[in-house]
Amino acid sequence: MIFDLKSSFTFSNDISSISKELQDSIKSFNSKIHQKDKTVEIKDIKIKKNILYFGIISEGIFRPHNALLQLKNEISKEFGKKHHVGVREIKITGYNISFELEKKPLKDITIPFADVKFKDKIATIILKEVDEEFLQRNYIDRMINRVSEKVESQYYEGKGEFWKAIWESAEKKPLWNKDPTEEMVKNKWLEQGPTKGKWFYRAQATAILKTMEKIAIEEVLKPLGFQEVIESHIVPFDIWLKTGHMEGMPGEFYYVCEPATRDTQAWERFVDLTKITKEVHIDELMNNLSPPKAGICYAQCPIIYWSFKGKTISEKSLPVLVYDKTAISNRYESGGRHGIERVDEFHRIEPVYIGTREQLLKLRENLLDCYKHIFNDIFDLEWRIAWVTPWYMQQAGKIGDESTQDTGTIDFEAYMPYRGDRKTSEWLEFQNLSILGDKYIKAFNIKAQKNELWSGCSGIGLERWTAAFLAQKSLDPNNWPEGFRKYLDKLPVGIEFL
Ligand code: SER
Ligand code: ZN
């Protein structure tokens, strides 16, 4: 890495008369730094009236912008006392940082605050007119990382994500091959919701979704000792900054605005317009809204982690086993929506677990046993399990690799007969299970008395369970497996529409 910085100090008075002394002082400062890093060089020193111009280059760990701030302090100390002059202003007129990339960029990239140029595997970040605060804020290192990351991702574009099957059930003869959503809509069990990707579940569909919830609680969460918690639906940005969601999928959130005020006077014009025109005047509305600082729940685990932020958990309480089934997840799906299986709003139970590595690996076995019991014995599904890119990497648009076995995400996928042949059609991910090491433990500074903690979560999507089950077993309760009929053998009688 080569750092090449051009800067100037503006002094309170003319410094031409002390030019020699300043040059000597800079030289001795430079040799002091050499003890830490031999590659740092202060050069091209020029003095004009009250301005000192110079450059700093470095190839090592000692960054010129750090040297610059130290130099300012040294000079202020020495010359303030002796000659009553001080540094009034630091100017950075140019800062170029060159470094070698792992792979040759396939095309140009842009980043904020700087130009980026490539020559083979060498990237150069060219900053202009940056101030002291900018240098202190650690942006430079993050800009270097962002360039490397963007080049790296050029190689992933269009490549499939990591996927490796680890278990599959026997083939099961489907009882039909229709799309369950379409059929439920025909039967009036379900209506398209008032806005995109949302559904209105009438009593029959609701009974099935609620049965899924009951089965998950009775067959997985209660036997394993999970406790229910209730979280907020609204997630402030600082939580998503910690989990990485904010940088991972800003285009998929539903954002939340608070009113700027409750003052009725401020809202008077809006109310008048609404009463007179019977329309919503968006411009007037925007005048009375605050910019968003939060979004609606996207996954339930971030707020659960936040609830443990900075806390030390007693050994007695480990592993922590909790789940939320109240917060509804919202994701802006754009083109990908389909039926109840790919929606903008979905109902999910999310168990979260925090414990030692051994506790969580054991828990994963237990969870797998319970899930297998449900999908084999209660649903009688044709399904499989695969290692996939961990969810937090998927959600950050990254690709996983095979290095994960202790940690990582397992997906549960079901054959959907209406989509075609079992070998060539796409199966539905109807469930996941992850162990994520200490990623969120660190992000939220969660501690134990002596052990290192790990965490993980599992997404139990009620719509996905329903879609998988009905796609194979039809809408007719008479066709449903015995195990499921123990939970639900008769559907509510629907409302007759004329
Ligand atoms: N947090 C996980 C996910 O988003 C499990 O719900 O998939
Ligand atoms: Zn989660």
Side-chain angles (χ1 to χ4, degrees):
M1 240 181 250
I2 301 175
F3 293 83
D4 183 352
L5 176 119
K6 288 193 176 38
S7 178
S8 68
F9 289 165
T10 307
F11 285 79
S12 47
N13 285 319
D14 196 317
I15 46 170
S16 358
S17 59
I18 52 168
S19 162
K20 172 91 181 54
E21 267 175 87
L22 266 170
Q23 305 236 14
D24 289 345
S25 161
I26 293 171
K27 264 186 214 131
S28 79
F29 175 76
N30 205 160
S31 38
K32 228 173 21 187
I33 298 184
H34 273 177
Q35 288 162 14
K36 289 187 204 156
D37 183 341
K38 282 206 168 35
T39 68
V40 181
E41 210 63 61
I42 305 180
K43 50 163 201 170
D44 304 332
I45 303 164
K46 263 190 232 111
I47 289 169
K48 244 194 225 159
K49 289 194 184 149
N50 63 332
I51 304 181
L52 167 74
Y53 298 92
F54 58 94
I56 309 179
I57 51 166
S58 140
E59 286 180 34
I61 36 158
F62 206 78
R63 308 278 152 97
H65 55 274
N66 295 329
L68 178 78
L69 301 173
Q70 285 187 14
L71 178 66
K72 178 197 158 190
N73 291 342
E74 291 272 317
I75 289 185
S76 303
K77 244 200 322 212
E78 192 181 334
F79 291 83
K81 261 201 219 127
K82 246 199 279 176
H83 298 287
H84 304 288
V85 287
V87 179
R88 280 277 155 82
E89 191 189 5
I90 301 184
K91 257 202 188 136
I92 291 101
T93 47
Y95 196 7
N96 293 3
I97 300 148
S98 299
F99 53 99
E100 191 167 6
L101 297 159
E102 277 191 16
K103 297 192 182 97
K104 200 178 144 172
L106 302 174
K107 53 182 184 226
D108 284 341
I109 62 151
T110 58
I111 57 164
F113 309 122
D115 291 335
V116 182
K117 297 231 151 46
F118 295 128
K119 199 167 176 226
D120 290 325
K121 276 164 74 180
I122 305 294
T124 304
I125 296 179
I126 302 154
L127 288 123
K128 285 184 200 107
E129 305 281 344
V130 288
D131 59 20
E132 199 175 328
E133 199 191 326
F134 185 94
L135 297 180
Q136 276 169 348
R137 283 192 160 202
N138 202 22
Y139 287 174
I140 305 273
D141 286 324
R142 296 201 200 110
M143 287 163 74
I144 294 169
N145 290 343
R146 186 70 183 130
V147 169
S148 308
E149 186 180 64
K150 278 189 147 181
V151 170
E152 195 71 11
S153 72
Q154 293 177 343
Y155 282 83
Y156 290 143
E157 272 166 25
K159 269 206 190 153
E161 296 209 335
F162 166 64
W163 186 92
K164 190 173 151 218
I166 45 176
W167 182 89
E168 63 186 12
S169 74
E171 283 188 13
K172 302 276 159 79
K173 193 173 174 327
L175 300 180
W176 71 338
N177 61 0
K178 298 222 166 101
D179 181 339
T181 302
E182 280 174 20
E183 298 306 307
M184 283 196 283
V185 171
K186 275 188 208 152
N187 290 353
K188 302 270 183 268
W189 293 8
L190 194 64
E191 303 271 347
Q192 188 87 55
T195 57
K196 283 181 291 196
K198 328 282 188 312
W199 291 94
F200 187 94
Y201 299 91
R202 294 197 186 281
Q204 302 92 325
T206 301
I208 302 172
L209 258 75
K210 285 283 163 185
T211 301
M212 297 304 179
E213 183 178 278
K214 184 146 196 255
I215 292 173
I217 292 168
E218 296 299 327
E219 304 286 346
V220 186
L221 300 167
K222 271 196 195 160
L224 296 182
F226 279 83
Q227 294 179 328
E228 184 175 2
V229 295
I230 298 178
E231 66 174 49
S232 168
H233 289 252
I234 295 183
V235 189
F237 292 161
D238 59 338
I239 291 184
W240 280 340
L241 275 169
K242 286 205 161 63
T243 57
H245 284 81
M246 207 70 233
E247 61 194 64
M249 62 286 303
E252 290 180 37
F253 298 138
Y254 276 80
Y255 291 95
V256 175
C257 291
E258 289 179 7
T261 172
R262 270 187 66 171
D263 178 6
T264 43
Q265 264 180 359
W267 285 95
E268 187 180 330
R269 185 173 158 74
F270 179 80
V271 173
D272 291 347
L273 284 165
T274 311
K275 287 197 175 206
I276 294 167
T277 67
K278 290 290 171 203
E279 280 173 8
V280 178
H281 281 250
I282 299 296
D283 290 346
E284 184 55 32
L285 177 65
M286 295 304 278
N287 287 337
N288 281 336
L289 294 185
S290 300
K293 294 192 193 78
I296 307 181
C297 172
Y298 181 97
Q300 288 134 293
C301 57
I303 292 202
I304 295 183
Y305 287 124
W306 163 85
S307 77
F308 292 103
K309 184 178 148 195
K311 298 214 175 356
T312 304
I313 302 169
S314 152
E315 299 295 320
K316 278 199 298 229
S317 304
L318 295 177
V320 166
L321 305 172
V322 294
Y323 70 93
D324 173 84
K325 67 178 179 74
T326 305
I328 296 163
S329 294
N330 286 255
R331 300 185 176 183
Y332 187 76
E333 283 289 356
S334 172
R337 298 180 184 100
H338 182 86
I340 62 162
E341 59 227 43
R342 193 163 186 128
V343 283
D344 282 37
E345 177 186 61
F346 56 95
H347 303 81
R348 174 175 51 185
I349 308 177
E350 188 168 345
V352 171
Y353 22 95
I354 298 174
T356 63
R357 174 178 175 275
E358 290 66 33
Q359 285 171 334
L360 294 205
L361 293 180
K362 179 79 192 116
L363 178 72
R364 176 162 65 199
E365 294 312 312
N366 293 341
L367 278 167
L368 274 170
D369 286 345
C370 294
Y371 287 139
K372 274 191 179 165
H373 169 61
I374 296 175
F375 306 139
N376 289 333
D377 308 332
I378 300 180
F379 292 3
D380 186 38
L381 280 188
E382 178 167 348
W383 66 294
R384 66 189 175 207
I385 310 180
W387 279 108
V388 296
T389 304
W391 69 256
Y392 71 88
M393 291 182 77
Q394 290 167 16
Q395 293 178 0
K398 290 182 183 153
I399 303 271
D401 60 47
E402 229 163 315
S403 60
T404 59
Q405 287 293 292
D406 275 4
T407 63
T409 293
I410 298 170
D411 265 357
F412 298 62
E413 303 176 346
Y415 173 44
M416 302 294 271
Y418 83 87
R419 295 183 181 177
D421 181 73
R422 58 164 58 75
K423 294 269 175 294
T424 51
S425 68
E426 193 190 344
W427 291 31
L428 179 72
E429 295 164 27
F430 65 98
Q431 151 104 22
N432 66 20
L433 193 174
S434 304
I435 294 186
L436 300 165
D438 63 3
K439 185 175 162 62
Y440 295 106
I441 297 298
K442 285 237 164 71
F444 289 91
N445 188 26
I446 305 168
K447 291 166 296 235
Q449 285 165 291
K450 41 182 198 280
N451 287 307
E452 302 243 320
L453 292 178
W454 274 17
S455 76
C457 62
S458 179
I460 303 173
L462 303 185
E463 279 89 351
R464 294 278 174 105
W465 276 29
T466 302
F469 179 73
L470 297 180
Q472 292 187 21
K473 303 297 172 197
S474 90
L475 302 192
D476 182 357
N478 294 316
N479 287 340
W480 294 347
E482 206 46 42
F484 191 84
R485 295 190 62 168
K486 282 205 188 109
Y487 279 96
L488 181 70
D489 68 343
K490 258 211 313 282
L491 289 170
V493 178
I495 301 164
E496 202 178 310
F497 292 99
L498 302 174

